[in-house]
Amino acid sequence: MPDAPATDGWAVDIVLCVDVTGSMAPVLNQVKEGALSFHGRLKTVMARRGMAIGRMRLRVIAFRDFGADRDRAIERTAFLDLPEQDAEFAEFIAGLRATGGGDVPESGLEALALAVRSPWSAESDDRRHIVVLFTDAPAHPLGKHTPRRRAAKSPSDRPPWWSSRRKTTTATSSPAYDVYPRTLDELHDQWGREGRDGAVMDQSAKRLLIFAPEQKPWRDIAETWDKTLFVPSVAGTGLKEIALDEVISTIARNL
């Protein structure tokens, strides 16, 4: 979807990377219950802080484990304008099931890589590009189960040569044309860091919020990536101790 005309207030793009393996039912149920009110609740919290949202877009990347779940390892949406596309957001979230996962580590780094390369908006000087990742598990190293390339299907990620005459959908379980970074170091370069090339994020707009256990690679990322906040959780509990209101308040504080 092309950028809409700029409006008064902040232009906020949020990508939610959500672990949807079997143990994650608690946080997934919270997101499902709060889907239709997410925009309104964030707008209210920001208003209390003296900040207004002019436009908000939300994207969801649900992940499992490429080693165990193969074609079901990633499910995702394009960016959705909220509140105009609240119903589509809620429909996608309602269709997610907390299943699969195989061994303990999951494919969280692949989901983060997809989020970093999202088609972020550039419509306003006052903009924020926020990635929020939820998991109760460590992540496999990039390359262990990571597919090198996958078939194109998602309209939000199609390369320029992809025919616009093909039928498009808002959500898909198959990535579009994904070439994942080979290492965490390469993913760090894509996030952006001083003295290195390869950044794909707007360096002033980017923010990363990680809700995860104190296990690799999450603590390491929080300590070495800039503009990153780490909220530790208990491993294997589905983040049941973290309330959605806390998530929304954390997003608002980091705008």
Side-chain angles (χ1 to χ4, degrees):
M1 179 180 295
D3 287 349
T7 56
D8 292 337
W10 287 83
V12 180
D13 283 354
I14 301 174
V15 180
L16 301 179
C17 297
V18 186
D19 181 341
V20 289
T21 55
S23 62
M24 287 292 289
V27 74
L28 182 56
N29 288 337
Q30 281 200 62
V31 174
K32 286 182 177 181
E33 292 169 4
L36 286 175
S37 63
F38 186 91
H39 172 266
R41 290 160 82 174
L42 180 58
K43 190 173 182 178
T44 298
V45 173
M46 285 186 64
R48 293 192 195 120
R49 299 177 63 83
M51 301 174 68
I53 295 179
R55 184 189 183 199
M56 185 171 120
R57 302 193 307 162
L58 187 69
R59 185 184 192 201
V60 182
I61 300 175
F63 66 92
R64 297 184 178 89
D65 184 348
F66 275 116
D69 302 301
R70 298 183 181 273
D71 290 340
R72 296 173 57 252
I74 296 287
E75 298 179 70
R76 61 185 169 181
T77 69
F79 271 118
L80 303 173
D81 277 288
L82 301 187
E84 293 83 0
Q85 293 180 286
D86 272 348
E88 289 155 74
F89 170 49
E91 181 181 10
F92 176 81
I93 292 295
L96 293 174
R97 298 290 180 269
T99 61
D103 54 3
V104 175
E106 312 298 358
S107 294
L109 287 177
E110 285 84 353
L112 179 56
L114 293 176
V116 166
R117 298 192 68 88
S118 293
W120 303 101
S121 171
E123 70 177 55
S124 170
D125 291 336
D126 293 330
R127 59 180 179 265
R128 286 290 181 265
H129 300 159
I130 304 168
V131 179
V132 186
L133 187 142
F134 306 92
T135 184
D136 67 347
H140 286 297
L142 285 164
K144 182 172 183 179
H145 299 300
T146 311
R148 292 300 300 274
R149 289 163 67 145
R150 287 169 61 88
K153 284 190 179 180
S154 170
S156 65
D157 297 307
R158 288 178 177 151
W161 46 261
W162 189 258
S163 173
S164 61
R165 291 173 294 181
R166 293 176 182 263
K167 182 179 179 180
T168 63
T169 56
T170 297
T172 177
S173 60
S174 300
Y177 182 72
D178 298 327
V179 180
Y180 294 94
R182 293 163 293 181
T183 65
L184 182 58
D185 199 50
E186 186 178 334
L187 179 55
H188 192 177
D189 287 344
Q190 292 179 3
W191 175 254
R193 52 179 160 168
E194 188 175 354
R196 298 286 289 266
D197 296 328
V200 299
M201 298 287 296
D202 180 324
Q203 297 302 289
S204 63
K206 68 180 185 181
R207 300 289 188 274
L208 173 60
L209 312 179
I210 302 174
F211 295 82
E214 295 197 63
Q215 296 176 324
K216 289 188 174 181
W218 310 122
R219 171 58 74 179
D220 294 341
I221 289 175
E223 291 176 349
T224 56
W225 290 28
D226 67 335
K227 298 184 180 178
T228 297
L229 176 70
F230 179 67
V231 180
S233 65
V234 180
T237 63
L239 276 67
K240 63 183 180 182
E241 73 276 20
I242 295 176
L244 186 58
D245 282 339
E246 179 185 352
V247 174
I248 290 173
S249 294
T250 303
I251 291 173
R253 287 196 303 272
N254 284 274
L255 288 174

